[in-house]
Amino acid sequence: MDKINTEVLSPDRQGISRAAALLDQGSLIALPTETVYGLGADAANDTAVAGIYAAKGRPSFNPLIVHLPDLARVQELVEWSDLAQKAADAFWPGPLTLVLPLKPDAPISKLVTAGLNTLAVRIPAAPIACDLLRSFGRGIAAPSANTSGKISPTCAAHVIHDLSGKIAGVIDGGACDVGLESTILGLAGTPTLLRPGGITKESLAQALDCRIAERHSTEAISAPGQIRSHYAPSARMRLNATEWADGEARLGFGDVECDLNLSPTEDLIEAAANLFAFMHSLDASGAKTIAVSPIPHDGLGVAINDRLSRAAADR
Ligand code: TXA
Ligand code: MG
């Protein structure tokens, strides 16, 4: 990746509107929330979201949390419920993330959900995050603003140290209050604590007036095929295809003849941005097999190959 100039923005009107303009152009902006600094991108923009994975050097496409300014915006994206309302009444704005069924035509990049049919949403409480969300006006997808495997950043200096040259800007809002990521509550099925955080399971159970299940670490999200809702095509996947067989749907990469090309110019960010949408679309064609060109195993290619081999194994 070419080095870019990382702007350090002040959390005033000027800095916020500059950050919103950069997000609008598809650039990445690190922003302070009450939990940790997030690495934000326009949640509707495939290329921008692919940029998050590239900047973080994430080896796989973990689904991301979408941050929103208010309940009306949340309800445009997910199927709302009584339990969700109780959780929101008790803990929003604040360090709680809810996983809910994604509305079918919600304008959210498939890279944000990693192809799942659920979406993680959160209304943060930190004033600077709220100002930016209101100014931008749409959902901001944001994982913690650190290189994959490193510690989550709780001040702008951490972000600059780690990601300077890879992102368009960081809003310097001082230290985060909580310093620990949000609690994640799954409400797409049985209420389940998906990640512990500052809000305890007990206080969730009390506010929702129901039992909260726990996901045990043995049911790791990373294991292939473990998460039923994880998008697996009904077609068989044939990877590293250097020639095509009759009747296969052909998912190409580079200078090849095919049905859909992830990136004719071998640009891995473009390929990541297209991956889930193209898999869906070839699967919908009814082909029994989707054959995929070899994808290089460097940069974002590692995450692309990870996702492809899971799709191939998910049976
Ligand atoms: O406090 C936070 O939550 C921070 C700030 C920036 O908001 N964000 C954060 O994001 O911690 P990240 O990407 O580091 O962690 C997101 C977690 C991941 O463990 C992911 O697996 C889970 O959220 N997640 C996201 N969408 C999900 C979904 N649809 N189903 C289950 N888990 C989901
Ligand atoms: Mg993280």
Short mmCIF file of all heavy atoms in Angstrom, two decimals, residues 164-227:
data_model
loop_
_atom_site.label_atom_id
_atom_site.label_comp_id
_atom_site.label_asym_id
_atom_site.label_seq_id
_atom_site.Cartn_x
_atom_site.Cartn_y
_atom_site.Cartn_z
N SER A 164 -0.37 5.46 11.18
CA SER A 164 0.02 6.64 10.41
C SER A 164 0.55 6.22 9.04
O SER A 164 1.32 5.27 8.94
CB SER A 164 1.10 7.41 11.18
OG SER A 164 1.40 8.59 10.47
N GLY A 165 0.09 6.92 8.00
CA GLY A 165 0.52 6.58 6.65
C GLY A 165 -0.43 5.62 5.96
O GLY A 165 -0.37 5.42 4.76
N LYS A 166 -1.34 5.00 6.75
CA LYS A 166 -2.28 4.03 6.17
C LYS A 166 -3.71 4.54 6.15
O LYS A 166 -4.57 3.94 5.52
CB LYS A 166 -2.25 2.74 6.99
CG LYS A 166 -0.92 2.01 6.92
CD LYS A 166 -1.02 0.70 7.69
CE LYS A 166 0.26 -0.10 7.55
NZ LYS A 166 0.25 -1.26 8.45
N ILE A 167 -4.00 5.62 6.90
CA ILE A 167 -5.37 6.12 6.98
C ILE A 167 -5.39 7.63 6.72
O ILE A 167 -4.36 8.30 6.89
CB ILE A 167 -6.03 5.80 8.35
CG1 ILE A 167 -5.30 6.51 9.50
CG2 ILE A 167 -6.02 4.29 8.58
CD1 ILE A 167 -5.93 6.26 10.87
N ALA A 168 -6.55 8.15 6.31
CA ALA A 168 -6.61 9.56 5.91
C ALA A 168 -6.55 10.51 7.10
O ALA A 168 -6.03 11.62 6.98
CB ALA A 168 -7.91 9.82 5.13
N GLY A 169 -7.08 10.08 8.25
CA GLY A 169 -7.06 11.00 9.37
C GLY A 169 -7.44 10.35 10.68
O GLY A 169 -7.95 9.23 10.72
N VAL A 170 -7.14 11.06 11.74
CA VAL A 170 -7.56 10.64 13.08
C VAL A 170 -8.06 11.89 13.80
O VAL A 170 -7.44 12.95 13.72
CB VAL A 170 -6.41 9.93 13.86
CG1 VAL A 170 -5.13 10.74 13.84
CG2 VAL A 170 -6.82 9.64 15.30
N ILE A 171 -9.21 11.77 14.45
CA ILE A 171 -9.71 12.88 15.26
C ILE A 171 -9.13 12.71 16.65
O ILE A 171 -9.33 11.67 17.30
CB ILE A 171 -11.26 12.86 15.34
CG1 ILE A 171 -11.87 12.88 13.94
CG2 ILE A 171 -11.75 14.07 16.16
CD1 ILE A 171 -13.38 12.76 13.93
N ASP A 172 -8.39 13.72 17.10
CA ASP A 172 -7.78 13.63 18.42
C ASP A 172 -8.77 14.09 19.49
O ASP A 172 -9.01 15.28 19.64
CB ASP A 172 -6.50 14.47 18.47
CG ASP A 172 -5.74 14.24 19.78
OD1 ASP A 172 -6.30 13.59 20.69
OD2 ASP A 172 -4.58 14.69 19.87
N GLY A 173 -9.33 13.14 20.18
CA GLY A 173 -10.33 13.45 21.22
C GLY A 173 -9.85 13.07 22.59
O GLY A 173 -10.66 12.86 23.50
N GLY A 174 -8.54 12.95 22.76
CA GLY A 174 -8.03 12.59 24.07
C GLY A 174 -8.26 11.12 24.39
O GLY A 174 -8.48 10.31 23.49
N ALA A 175 -8.21 10.80 25.67
CA ALA A 175 -8.33 9.40 26.09
C ALA A 175 -9.78 8.94 26.13
O ALA A 175 -10.69 9.73 26.38
CB ALA A 175 -7.70 9.24 27.47
N CYS A 176 -10.00 7.64 25.84
CA CYS A 176 -11.36 7.08 25.90
C CYS A 176 -11.73 6.81 27.36
O CYS A 176 -10.88 6.41 28.15
CB CYS A 176 -11.41 5.77 25.13
SG CYS A 176 -10.94 5.93 23.41
N ASP A 177 -13.00 7.00 27.69
CA ASP A 177 -13.44 6.81 29.08
C ASP A 177 -13.37 5.35 29.51
O ASP A 177 -12.86 5.03 30.57
CB ASP A 177 -14.91 7.27 29.24
CG ASP A 177 -15.02 8.78 29.15
OD1 ASP A 177 -13.98 9.45 29.31
OD2 ASP A 177 -16.14 9.28 28.92
N VAL A 178 -13.93 4.46 28.68
CA VAL A 178 -14.07 3.06 29.10
C VAL A 178 -12.78 2.29 28.89
O VAL A 178 -12.33 1.54 29.76
CB VAL A 178 -15.25 2.38 28.36
CG1 VAL A 178 -15.40 0.93 28.80
CG2 VAL A 178 -16.55 3.14 28.57
N GLY A 179 -12.18 2.44 27.72
CA GLY A 179 -10.90 1.78 27.46
C GLY A 179 -11.00 0.30 27.17
O GLY A 179 -10.01 -0.41 27.05
N LEU A 180 -12.22 -0.18 27.05
CA LEU A 180 -12.47 -1.61 26.81
C LEU A 180 -13.59 -1.66 25.79
O LEU A 180 -14.51 -0.85 25.86
CB LEU A 180 -12.91 -2.23 28.14
CG LEU A 180 -13.16 -3.71 28.19
CD1 LEU A 180 -11.81 -4.41 28.28
CD2 LEU A 180 -13.99 -4.05 29.43
N GLU A 181 -13.55 -2.61 24.87
CA GLU A 181 -14.57 -2.67 23.83
C GLU A 181 -15.98 -2.89 24.40
O GLU A 181 -16.13 -3.39 25.51
CB GLU A 181 -14.26 -3.79 22.83
CG GLU A 181 -13.12 -3.47 21.89
CD GLU A 181 -11.79 -4.02 22.38
OE1 GLU A 181 -11.66 -4.28 23.60
OE2 GLU A 181 -10.89 -4.18 21.54
N SER A 182 -16.96 -2.57 23.57
CA SER A 182 -18.36 -2.70 23.98
C SER A 182 -18.75 -4.15 24.26
O SER A 182 -18.17 -5.08 23.69
CB SER A 182 -19.27 -2.14 22.88
OG SER A 182 -19.09 -2.85 21.68
N THR A 183 -19.73 -4.31 25.11
CA THR A 183 -20.37 -5.61 25.32
C THR A 183 -21.19 -5.91 24.06
O THR A 183 -21.85 -5.02 23.53
CB THR A 183 -21.34 -5.52 26.52
OG1 THR A 183 -20.58 -5.21 27.68
CG2 THR A 183 -22.09 -6.83 26.74
N ILE A 184 -21.13 -7.15 23.56
CA ILE A 184 -21.93 -7.49 22.38
C ILE A 184 -23.02 -8.48 22.77
O ILE A 184 -22.74 -9.56 23.31
CB ILE A 184 -21.08 -8.09 21.24
CG1 ILE A 184 -19.94 -7.12 20.87
CG2 ILE A 184 -21.94 -8.37 20.01
CD1 ILE A 184 -19.08 -7.59 19.71
N LEU A 185 -24.26 -8.10 22.49
CA LEU A 185 -25.43 -8.92 22.81
C LEU A 185 -26.10 -9.36 21.51
O LEU A 185 -26.51 -8.52 20.70
CB LEU A 185 -26.41 -8.10 23.66
CG LEU A 185 -27.73 -8.79 24.03
CD1 LEU A 185 -27.50 -10.01 24.92
CD2 LEU A 185 -28.68 -7.80 24.71
N GLY A 186 -26.18 -10.65 21.30
CA GLY A 186 -26.86 -11.19 20.13
C GLY A 186 -28.35 -11.28 20.38
O GLY A 186 -28.78 -11.91 21.34
N LEU A 187 -29.15 -10.62 19.54
CA LEU A 187 -30.60 -10.67 19.68
C LEU A 187 -31.27 -11.17 18.40
O LEU A 187 -32.45 -10.96 18.19
CB LEU A 187 -31.16 -9.29 20.06
CG LEU A 187 -30.84 -8.78 21.48
CD1 LEU A 187 -31.43 -7.40 21.69
CD2 LEU A 187 -31.37 -9.76 22.54
N ALA A 188 -30.50 -11.83 17.55
CA ALA A 188 -31.09 -12.36 16.32
C ALA A 188 -31.79 -13.70 16.61
O ALA A 188 -32.63 -14.14 15.84
CB ALA A 188 -30.03 -12.51 15.24
N GLY A 189 -31.43 -14.33 17.70
CA GLY A 189 -32.08 -15.57 18.12
C GLY A 189 -32.21 -15.52 19.63
O GLY A 189 -32.55 -14.47 20.18
N THR A 190 -31.86 -16.62 20.32
CA THR A 190 -31.82 -16.60 21.78
C THR A 190 -30.88 -15.49 22.24
O THR A 190 -29.76 -15.41 21.74
CB THR A 190 -31.25 -17.95 22.29
OG1 THR A 190 -31.96 -18.99 21.65
CG2 THR A 190 -31.37 -18.07 23.79
N PRO A 191 -31.31 -14.62 23.17
CA PRO A 191 -30.40 -13.57 23.63
C PRO A 191 -29.10 -14.18 24.15
O PRO A 191 -29.12 -15.03 25.03
CB PRO A 191 -31.19 -12.89 24.76
CG PRO A 191 -32.62 -13.17 24.43
CD PRO A 191 -32.63 -14.52 23.79
N THR A 192 -27.99 -13.78 23.56
CA THR A 192 -26.70 -14.40 23.86
C THR A 192 -25.62 -13.35 24.02
O THR A 192 -25.50 -12.44 23.18
CB THR A 192 -26.28 -15.36 22.70
OG1 THR A 192 -27.34 -16.30 22.49
CG2 THR A 192 -25.00 -16.11 23.04
N LEU A 193 -24.84 -13.48 25.07
CA LEU A 193 -23.69 -12.60 25.26
C LEU A 193 -22.58 -13.07 24.31
O LEU A 193 -22.04 -14.16 24.48
CB LEU A 193 -23.21 -12.68 26.71
CG LEU A 193 -22.09 -11.72 27.07
CD1 LEU A 193 -22.62 -10.28 27.12
CD2 LEU A 193 -21.47 -12.09 28.41
N LEU A 194 -22.26 -12.26 23.31
CA LEU A 194 -21.27 -12.67 22.31
C LEU A 194 -19.87 -12.17 22.67
O LEU A 194 -18.88 -12.75 22.25
CB LEU A 194 -21.66 -12.15 20.93
CG LEU A 194 -22.99 -12.66 20.38
CD1 LEU A 194 -23.32 -12.01 19.05
CD2 LEU A 194 -22.96 -14.18 20.22
N ARG A 195 -19.81 -11.07 23.42
CA ARG A 195 -18.50 -10.60 23.90
C ARG A 195 -18.74 -9.84 25.20
O ARG A 195 -19.56 -8.94 25.24
CB ARG A 195 -17.84 -9.67 22.87
CG ARG A 195 -16.49 -9.12 23.35
CD ARG A 195 -15.76 -8.30 22.29
NE ARG A 195 -16.37 -7.00 22.09
CZ ARG A 195 -15.98 -6.13 21.16
NH1 ARG A 195 -15.00 -6.43 20.33
NH2 ARG A 195 -16.58 -4.96 21.04
N PRO A 196 -18.03 -10.23 26.24
CA PRO A 196 -18.18 -9.49 27.50
C PRO A 196 -17.57 -8.10 27.36
O PRO A 196 -16.70 -7.88 26.51
CB PRO A 196 -17.40 -10.33 28.52
CG PRO A 196 -16.54 -11.26 27.74
CD PRO A 196 -17.03 -11.32 26.33
N GLY A 197 -18.04 -7.18 28.17
CA GLY A 197 -17.52 -5.82 28.12
C GLY A 197 -17.93 -5.11 29.39
O GLY A 197 -18.27 -5.76 30.39
N GLY A 198 -17.96 -3.81 29.34
CA GLY A 198 -18.26 -3.01 30.53
C GLY A 198 -19.66 -3.25 31.07
O GLY A 198 -19.89 -3.12 32.27
N ILE A 199 -20.61 -3.58 30.23
CA ILE A 199 -21.98 -3.83 30.70
C ILE A 199 -22.10 -5.32 30.99
O ILE A 199 -21.86 -6.16 30.11
CB ILE A 199 -23.00 -3.38 29.64
CG1 ILE A 199 -22.92 -1.85 29.51
CG2 ILE A 199 -24.41 -3.82 30.01
CD1 ILE A 199 -23.68 -1.29 28.36
N THR A 200 -22.44 -5.66 32.21
CA THR A 200 -22.38 -7.06 32.61
C THR A 200 -23.60 -7.84 32.13
O THR A 200 -24.65 -7.27 31.83
CB THR A 200 -22.33 -7.19 34.14
OG1 THR A 200 -23.55 -6.64 34.67
CG2 THR A 200 -21.14 -6.44 34.72
N LYS A 201 -23.43 -9.16 32.10
CA LYS A 201 -24.50 -10.06 31.72
C LYS A 201 -25.69 -9.91 32.67
O LYS A 201 -26.85 -9.92 32.25
CB LYS A 201 -23.95 -11.49 31.80
CG LYS A 201 -24.81 -12.53 31.17
CD LYS A 201 -24.18 -13.89 31.30
CE LYS A 201 -25.26 -14.92 31.47
NZ LYS A 201 -24.76 -16.24 31.81
N GLU A 202 -25.38 -9.72 33.96
CA GLU A 202 -26.44 -9.59 34.97
C GLU A 202 -27.28 -8.33 34.71
O GLU A 202 -28.51 -8.37 34.76
CB GLU A 202 -25.84 -9.53 36.38
CG GLU A 202 -25.24 -10.84 36.87
CD GLU A 202 -23.98 -11.26 36.10
OE1 GLU A 202 -23.19 -10.37 35.68
OE2 GLU A 202 -23.79 -12.47 35.90
N SER A 203 -26.61 -7.23 34.41
CA SER A 203 -27.40 -6.01 34.20
C SER A 203 -28.19 -6.10 32.89
O SER A 203 -29.29 -5.54 32.78
CB SER A 203 -26.51 -4.76 34.25
OG SER A 203 -25.49 -4.84 33.32
N LEU A 204 -27.68 -6.85 31.92
CA LEU A 204 -28.45 -7.07 30.68
C LEU A 204 -29.70 -7.91 30.99
O LEU A 204 -30.81 -7.58 30.56
CB LEU A 204 -27.61 -7.80 29.63
CG LEU A 204 -26.53 -6.97 28.92
CD1 LEU A 204 -25.63 -7.88 28.10
CD2 LEU A 204 -27.18 -5.91 28.04
N ALA A 205 -29.50 -8.99 31.76
CA ALA A 205 -30.62 -9.88 32.10
C ALA A 205 -31.70 -9.11 32.84
O ALA A 205 -32.90 -9.29 32.59
CB ALA A 205 -30.11 -11.05 32.94
N GLN A 206 -31.26 -8.21 33.71
CA GLN A 206 -32.22 -7.44 34.49
C GLN A 206 -32.99 -6.46 33.58
O GLN A 206 -34.21 -6.39 33.64
CB GLN A 206 -31.48 -6.66 35.57
CG GLN A 206 -32.42 -6.09 36.60
CD GLN A 206 -31.63 -5.49 37.77
OE1 GLN A 206 -30.49 -5.08 37.60
NE2 GLN A 206 -32.23 -5.47 38.93
N ALA A 207 -32.28 -5.75 32.72
CA ALA A 207 -32.93 -4.76 31.86
C ALA A 207 -33.88 -5.44 30.85
O ALA A 207 -34.92 -4.90 30.51
CB ALA A 207 -31.89 -3.93 31.13
N LEU A 208 -33.47 -6.60 30.35
CA LEU A 208 -34.29 -7.28 29.34
C LEU A 208 -35.32 -8.21 29.97
O LEU A 208 -36.20 -8.73 29.28
CB LEU A 208 -33.41 -8.08 28.37
CG LEU A 208 -32.85 -7.31 27.18
CD1 LEU A 208 -31.92 -6.20 27.62
CD2 LEU A 208 -32.15 -8.23 26.21
N ASP A 209 -35.15 -8.46 31.26
CA ASP A 209 -36.02 -9.34 31.99
C ASP A 209 -36.09 -10.72 31.33
O ASP A 209 -37.17 -11.27 31.09
CB ASP A 209 -37.45 -8.72 32.08
CG ASP A 209 -38.29 -9.41 33.14
OD1 ASP A 209 -37.70 -10.07 34.02
OD2 ASP A 209 -39.53 -9.31 33.05
N CYS A 210 -34.92 -11.24 31.01
CA CYS A 210 -34.85 -12.61 30.44
C CYS A 210 -33.47 -13.19 30.70
O CYS A 210 -32.55 -12.48 31.11
CB CYS A 210 -35.16 -12.60 28.95
SG CYS A 210 -33.84 -11.92 27.95
N ARG A 211 -33.37 -14.51 30.45
CA ARG A 211 -32.10 -15.19 30.63
C ARG A 211 -31.18 -14.85 29.44
O ARG A 211 -31.64 -14.77 28.31
CB ARG A 211 -32.34 -16.70 30.65
CG ARG A 211 -31.46 -17.49 31.60
CD ARG A 211 -31.76 -18.99 31.50
NE ARG A 211 -31.15 -19.58 30.31
CZ ARG A 211 -29.85 -19.90 30.24
NH1 ARG A 211 -29.05 -19.71 31.26
NH2 ARG A 211 -29.35 -20.44 29.13
N ILE A 212 -29.90 -14.64 29.72
CA ILE A 212 -28.95 -14.37 28.64
C ILE A 212 -28.00 -15.57 28.53
O ILE A 212 -27.32 -15.91 29.50
CB ILE A 212 -28.09 -13.11 28.95
CG1 ILE A 212 -28.97 -11.91 29.35
CG2 ILE A 212 -27.16 -12.79 27.78
CD1 ILE A 212 -29.67 -11.22 28.23
N ALA A 213 -28.00 -16.20 27.38
CA ALA A 213 -27.10 -17.34 27.18
C ALA A 213 -25.69 -16.82 26.94
O ALA A 213 -25.50 -15.64 26.67
CB ALA A 213 -27.57 -18.17 25.99
N GLU A 214 -24.72 -17.72 27.05
CA GLU A 214 -23.35 -17.31 26.78
C GLU A 214 -22.81 -18.14 25.64
O GLU A 214 -23.10 -19.34 25.56
CB GLU A 214 -22.49 -17.55 28.02
CG GLU A 214 -22.10 -16.26 28.69
CD GLU A 214 -21.36 -16.49 29.97
OE1 GLU A 214 -20.14 -16.61 29.90
OE2 GLU A 214 -22.01 -16.57 31.03
N ARG A 215 -22.01 -17.53 24.80
CA ARG A 215 -21.36 -18.35 23.78
C ARG A 215 -20.05 -18.81 24.36
O ARG A 215 -19.24 -18.03 24.80
CB ARG A 215 -21.13 -17.58 22.50
CG ARG A 215 -20.71 -18.55 21.41
CD ARG A 215 -20.68 -17.92 20.07
NE ARG A 215 -19.61 -16.93 20.05
CZ ARG A 215 -19.58 -15.95 19.18
NH1 ARG A 215 -20.53 -15.83 18.30
NH2 ARG A 215 -18.59 -15.09 19.19
N HIS A 216 -19.84 -20.12 24.36
CA HIS A 216 -18.61 -20.63 24.95
C HIS A 216 -17.49 -20.55 23.94
O HIS A 216 -17.71 -20.64 22.74
CB HIS A 216 -18.84 -22.05 25.45
CG HIS A 216 -19.87 -22.07 26.54
ND1 HIS A 216 -19.60 -21.61 27.79
CD2 HIS A 216 -21.18 -22.41 26.53
CE1 HIS A 216 -20.71 -21.70 28.53
NE2 HIS A 216 -21.68 -22.18 27.78
N SER A 217 -16.29 -20.37 24.46
CA SER A 217 -15.15 -20.14 23.58
C SER A 217 -14.90 -21.32 22.65
O SER A 217 -14.29 -21.18 21.61
CB SER A 217 -13.91 -19.84 24.39
OG SER A 217 -13.77 -20.80 25.38
N THR A 218 -15.40 -22.51 23.03
CA THR A 218 -15.22 -23.67 22.17
C THR A 218 -16.02 -23.52 20.86
O THR A 218 -15.72 -24.16 19.87
CB THR A 218 -15.69 -24.95 22.86
OG1 THR A 218 -16.97 -24.69 23.43
CG2 THR A 218 -14.74 -25.38 23.95
N GLU A 219 -17.04 -22.66 20.89
CA GLU A 219 -17.82 -22.45 19.68
C GLU A 219 -17.25 -21.26 18.91
O GLU A 219 -17.97 -20.35 18.53
CB GLU A 219 -19.29 -22.17 20.02
CG GLU A 219 -19.96 -23.28 20.78
CD GLU A 219 -21.27 -22.79 21.40
OE1 GLU A 219 -22.03 -22.11 20.69
OE2 GLU A 219 -21.51 -23.06 22.58
N ALA A 220 -15.94 -21.26 18.74
CA ALA A 220 -15.27 -20.10 18.13
C ALA A 220 -15.88 -19.76 16.78
O ALA A 220 -16.20 -20.63 15.98
CB ALA A 220 -13.79 -20.39 17.98
N ILE A 221 -16.04 -18.45 16.56
CA ILE A 221 -16.62 -17.95 15.33
C ILE A 221 -15.73 -18.32 14.13
O ILE A 221 -16.16 -18.39 13.00
CB ILE A 221 -16.81 -16.42 15.41
CG1 ILE A 221 -17.72 -15.90 14.31
CG2 ILE A 221 -15.48 -15.67 15.39
CD1 ILE A 221 -18.22 -14.49 14.57
N SER A 222 -14.45 -18.63 14.43
CA SER A 222 -13.51 -18.86 13.34
C SER A 222 -13.63 -20.25 12.75
O SER A 222 -13.17 -20.50 11.64
CB SER A 222 -12.09 -18.66 13.85
OG SER A 222 -11.89 -19.48 14.96
N ALA A 223 -14.26 -21.18 13.49
CA ALA A 223 -14.32 -22.54 12.97
C ALA A 223 -15.24 -22.61 11.76
O ALA A 223 -16.36 -22.12 11.81
CB ALA A 223 -14.81 -23.49 14.05
N PRO A 224 -14.79 -23.23 10.68
CA PRO A 224 -15.60 -23.26 9.47
C PRO A 224 -16.94 -23.95 9.69
O PRO A 224 -16.99 -24.98 10.34
CB PRO A 224 -14.75 -24.03 8.46
CG PRO A 224 -13.53 -24.45 9.15
CD PRO A 224 -13.52 -23.91 10.53
N GLY A 225 -17.98 -23.37 9.20
CA GLY A 225 -19.27 -24.02 9.22
C GLY A 225 -19.96 -24.00 10.57
O GLY A 225 -21.06 -24.50 10.73
N GLN A 226 -19.30 -23.43 11.58
CA GLN A 226 -19.87 -23.47 12.93
C GLN A 226 -21.06 -22.53 13.06
O GLN A 226 -22.03 -22.85 13.72
CB GLN A 226 -18.81 -23.05 13.93
CG GLN A 226 -19.13 -23.54 15.31
CD GLN A 226 -17.99 -24.35 15.85
OE1 GLN A 226 -16.84 -23.96 15.73
NE2 GLN A 226 -18.27 -25.48 16.40
N ILE A 227 -20.96 -21.37 12.45
CA ILE A 227 -22.03 -20.40 12.56
C ILE A 227 -22.99 -20.64 11.39
O ILE A 227 -22.64 -20.37 10.25
CB ILE A 227 -21.43 -18.97 12.46
CG1 ILE A 227 -20.36 -18.81 13.52
CG2 ILE A 227 -22.52 -17.94 12.54
CD1 ILE A 227 -20.77 -18.10 14.74
#
